[in-house]
């Protein structure tokens, strides 16, 4: 065969390689990405729990003229609504100008984050110290949660229904709480244990005080903590029985790297997708398609409960929207499209052995599509069909979005799931698209500003295209 085309030209024509944001983006786009990150970082600091994320997101939506939705409400084209599900799960939707039978464009992320929850009877005293007993939430690596400043967030609901908001440790003048660890001098036995066993769950106790209540004969430190809580929040020990209280890292979002290209924060997973889904929705007001952003709860524990993505609320809302606009329920679902927007693992050269380099998400190469997640032989995944992936490719190309494909890690190394399968089961075309994260589920995770910005661009393209 006569070799007519030079190899480099042929490679460019036939080959595929990922695009690094910084190789392609102009200065203005890079500046836009860095600027966009500021709003995201403020969102992170204001919203460390799903309840706070819902509250802050509603504030953002109301500024964009979104109004509360109630079942049975009349809906009009161009109308913007939000449904607040129990303060922990939010659906925002905007009615498009086309027929509802063309389906809804859905971006679904989650706003719950792995954390350290308080047990129902948490407070006790031992060895001159008062502690809260805890029960961890989600897939944490327990050894990462000791010896770091923690803040207490959540609500206590009194028997009469009064909701008391608790937040200690975020204001610079606040105290923080803490989980003890062993000093290396006495850790010979502990150091021999596997990482997963070195810090047992029942040793994740929160140090909350050491000072006795004057005159108390026993449990004086415990009593003093109760007195302080009563003084500040008007609560008693029994009120802990009906509370959602969590210890979360007290640290704020910060620029990371000398070039400030990264963001370190608690809970990028998955607010790094939730925030762009909001800005993309708000940026496409004049949309032809009906669009929806979902901020789900309980993803980290299997999307359970009536605020998790397994609830039938999604189909209830689609049914209500369809009825209000005179469409057909089955048709609307069949024509709907969903980006399950959750984070994926970013290739980390420090732990290269768990990644399959050719199919991992690389830093700064854009928002990452995972055609499938799950574990083992694709167990427990919605494996998105090639037809839908091709359509995503098309719109990303049309809108000039830098994106990449990426699996979590090596096959059989581990695995994970997202809300994708819980949405796809309603006959909605669904694929995972989210931002790569370094040290996912750690108290302080890392993402790239470039990848964050491409998530916003990708969701905007998805709502518009
Ligand atoms: Mn996630
Ligand atoms: Mn997660």
């Amino acid at each position: 065969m006569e070799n007519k085309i030079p190899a480099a030209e042929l490679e460019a024509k036939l080959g595929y390689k990922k695009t690094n944001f910084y190789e392609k983006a102009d200065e203005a786009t890079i500046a836009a990405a860095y600027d966009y990150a500021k709003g995201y970082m403020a969102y992170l600091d204001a919203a460390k729990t799903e309840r706070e994320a819902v509250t802050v997101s509603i504030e953002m939506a109301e500024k964009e003229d979104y109004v509360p939705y109630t079942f049975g409400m009349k809906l009009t084209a161009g109308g913007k609504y939000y449904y607040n599900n129990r303060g922990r799960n939010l659906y925002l939707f905007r009615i498009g100008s086309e027929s509802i039978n063309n389906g809804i464009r859905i971006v679904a992320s989650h706003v719950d984050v792995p954390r350290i929850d308080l047990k129902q009877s948490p407070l006790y005293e031992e060895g001159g110290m008062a502690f809260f007993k805890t029960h961890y939430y989600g897939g944490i690596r327990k050894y990462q949660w000791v010896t770091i400043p923690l803040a207490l967030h959540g609500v206590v609901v009194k028997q009469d229904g009064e909701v008391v908001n608790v937040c200690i440790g975020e204001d610079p003048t606040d105290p923080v709480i803490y989980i003890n660890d062993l000093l290396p001098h006495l850790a010979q036995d502990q150091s021999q244990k596997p990482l997963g066993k070195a810090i047992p769950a029942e040793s994740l106790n929160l140090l909350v005080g050491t000072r006795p209540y004057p005159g108390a004969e026993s449990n004086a430190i415990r009593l003093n903590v109760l007195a302080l809580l009563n003084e500040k929040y008007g609560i008693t020990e029994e009120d802990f029985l009906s509370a959602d209280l969590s210890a979360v890292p007290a640290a704020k979002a910060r620029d990371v790297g000398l070039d400030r290209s990264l963001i370190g924060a608690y809970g990028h997973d998955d607010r790094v997708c939730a925030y762009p889904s909001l800005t993309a929705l708000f940026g496409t007001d004049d949309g032809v398609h009906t669009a929806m952003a979902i901020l789900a709860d309980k993803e980290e524990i299997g999307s359970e409960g009536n605020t998790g993505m397994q609830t039938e609320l999604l189909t209830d809302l689609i049914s209500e929207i369809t009825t209000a606009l005179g469409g057909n329920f089955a048709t609307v679902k069949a024509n709907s499209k969903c980006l399950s927007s959750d984070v994926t693992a970013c290739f980390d050269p420090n732990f290269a052995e768990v990644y399959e380099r050719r199919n991992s998400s690389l830093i700064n190469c854009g928002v990452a599509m995972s055609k499938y997640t799950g574990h083992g032989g694709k167990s427990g995944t919605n494996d998105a069909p090639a037809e839908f992936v091709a359509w995503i490719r098309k719109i990303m190309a049309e809108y000039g979005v830098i994106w990449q494909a990426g699996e979590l890690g090596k096959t059989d190394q581990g695995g994970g799931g997202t809300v994708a399968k819980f949405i796809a089961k309603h006959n909605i075309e669904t694929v995972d698209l989210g931002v790569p994260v370094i040290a996912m589920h750690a108290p302080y995770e890392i993402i790239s500003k470039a990848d964050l910005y491409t998530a916003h661009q990708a969701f905007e393209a998805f709502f518009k295209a």
Side-chain angles (χ1 to χ4, degrees):
M1 188 179 113
E2 203 179 338
N3 195 1
K4 283 178 184 165
I5 305 172
E9 199 180 308
L10 192 65
E11 178 60 42
K13 195 174 164 187
L14 301 183
Y16 166 77
K17 72 177 190 65
K18 295 188 184 200
T19 307
N20 187 295
F21 181 83
Y22 292 101
E23 284 164 16
K24 192 173 175 197
D26 56 24
E27 283 302 320
T29 309
I30 294 170
Y34 272 55
D35 197 50
Y36 180 84
K38 291 177 191 161
Y40 170 56
M41 290 164 81
Y43 183 83
L44 285 171
D45 289 344
K48 288 193 174 179
T49 65
E50 66 277 358
R51 287 179 189 269
E52 291 165 356
V54 166
T55 301
V56 172
S57 301
I58 288 174
E59 284 168 15
M60 289 169 66
E62 286 183 340
K63 280 188 192 139
E64 300 288 332
D65 301 323
Y66 277 70
V67 297
Y69 172 78
T70 48
F71 293 129
M73 206 164 143
K74 201 164 166 275
L75 303 174
T76 51
K80 301 188 280 188
Y81 310 89
Y82 67 84
Y83 185 81
N84 175 355
N85 180 20
R86 300 170 167 87
R88 302 197 303 278
N89 165 216
L90 188 65
Y91 290 74
L92 306 107
F93 55 97
R94 176 194 27 75
I95 308 300
S97 54
E98 67 176 2
S99 165
I100 189 63
N101 281 337
N102 289 354
I104 303 175
R105 300 284 168 89
I106 303 166
V107 176
S109 61
H110 67 90
V111 287
D112 62 316
V113 187
R115 61 188 189 231
I116 311 282
D117 284 348
L118 264 58
K119 289 195 183 191
Q120 281 194 282
S121 289
L123 184 60
Y124 71 101
E125 171 181 337
E126 208 170 315
M129 303 177 197
F131 296 97
F132 287 149
K133 290 298 297 178
T134 69
H135 196 132
Y136 66 95
Y137 173 97
I140 66 164
R141 309 189 73 195
K142 298 178 198 83
Y143 74 90
Q144 296 177 334
W145 291 75
V146 296
T147 73
I148 59 170
L150 298 166
L152 188 67
H153 286 236
V155 298
V156 178
V157 184
K158 294 188 190 175
Q159 199 164 271
D160 65 3
E162 185 197 343
V163 179
V164 181
N165 282 298
V166 173
C167 183
I168 304 172
E170 293 296 338
D171 189 280
T173 64
D174 278 357
V176 294
I177 51 180
Y178 184 85
I179 298 172
N180 303 354
D181 193 9
L182 265 179
L183 60 170
H185 317 67
L186 295 177
Q188 283 214 2
D189 290 347
Q190 187 201 41
S191 299
Q192 301 307 313
K193 292 178 184 168
L195 269 182
K197 294 198 166 143
I199 306 288
E202 292 295 351
S203 73
L204 294 175
N205 303 313
L206 292 157
L207 180 60
V208 293
T210 62
R211 185 167 162 178
Y213 188 83
E217 283 184 9
S218 65
N219 280 309
I221 301 162
R222 174 187 150 280
L223 188 63
N224 198 48
V225 169
L226 283 175
L228 290 168
L229 287 170
N230 186 260
E231 189 187 340
K232 183 159 184 181
Y233 296 111
I235 57 175
T236 66
E237 192 169 25
E238 193 178 347
D239 290 325
F240 279 119
L241 293 173
S242 48
D244 291 335
L245 288 170
S246 312
V248 299
K252 308 283 191 207
R254 298 282 296 268
D255 285 346
V256 171
L258 304 187
D259 55 9
R260 299 179 179 269
S261 61
L262 307 164
I263 302 171
Y266 166 64
H268 284 308
D269 176 7
D270 180 33
R271 288 168 298 166
V272 73
C273 295
Y275 180 79
S277 79
L278 298 178
T279 57
L281 187 68
F282 301 156
T284 52
D285 262 359
D286 49 352
V288 171
H289 315 296
T290 294
M292 179 184 275
I294 305 173
L295 310 185
D297 180 26
K298 291 191 164 56
E299 192 280 337
E300 296 295 358
I301 54 168
S303 298
E304 312 287 348
N306 59 9
T307 52
M309 212 58 246
Q310 294 204 61
T311 170
E312 286 172 20
L313 179 56
L314 171 62
T315 42
D316 285 349
L317 279 168
I318 294 176
S319 165
E320 290 287 303
I321 293 168
T322 302
T323 303
L325 297 169
N328 176 275
F329 182 48
T331 306
V332 172
K333 286 190 294 175
N335 289 333
S336 289
K337 295 180 171 70
C338 175
L339 296 180
S340 161
S341 56
D342 204 347
V343 300
T344 186
C346 181
F347 174 78
D348 185 340
N350 296 294
F351 302 98
E353 67 279 7
V354 301
Y355 296 94
E356 194 268 279
R357 185 70 166 71
R358 287 172 195 79
N359 286 285
S360 291
S361 301
L362 304 180
I363 197 83
N364 293 333
C365 288
V367 65
M369 180 199 285
S370 300
K371 188 174 180 296
Y372 44 85
T373 59
H375 59 272
K378 296 195 176 181
S379 187
T381 181
N382 157 61
D383 189 351
E387 289 87 345
F388 188 48
V389 175
W391 181 79
I392 299 283
R393 275 180 63 196
K394 180 166 87 84
I395 66 168
M396 295 299 156
E398 274 174 16
Y399 284 80
V401 181
I402 294 170
W403 70 284
Q404 60 183 319
E407 268 193 57
L408 195 67
K410 275 184 178 166
T411 310
D412 281 347
Q413 180 66 47
T418 65
V419 299
K421 63 178 178 178
F422 303 121
I423 294 174
K425 75 171 188 177
H426 301 303
N427 194 29
I428 295 172
E429 211 69 90
T430 307
V431 70
D432 281 292
L433 191 81
V435 174
V437 174
I438 296 170
M440 194 195 298
H441 286 202
Y444 212 65
E445 304 170 320
I446 304 289
I447 62 103
S448 126
K449 288 180 182 175
D451 296 336
L452 165 70
Y453 191 57
T454 61
H456 164 79
Q457 292 176 313
F459 300 159
E460 227 179 39
F462 174 73
F463 285 140
K464 280 184 186 167

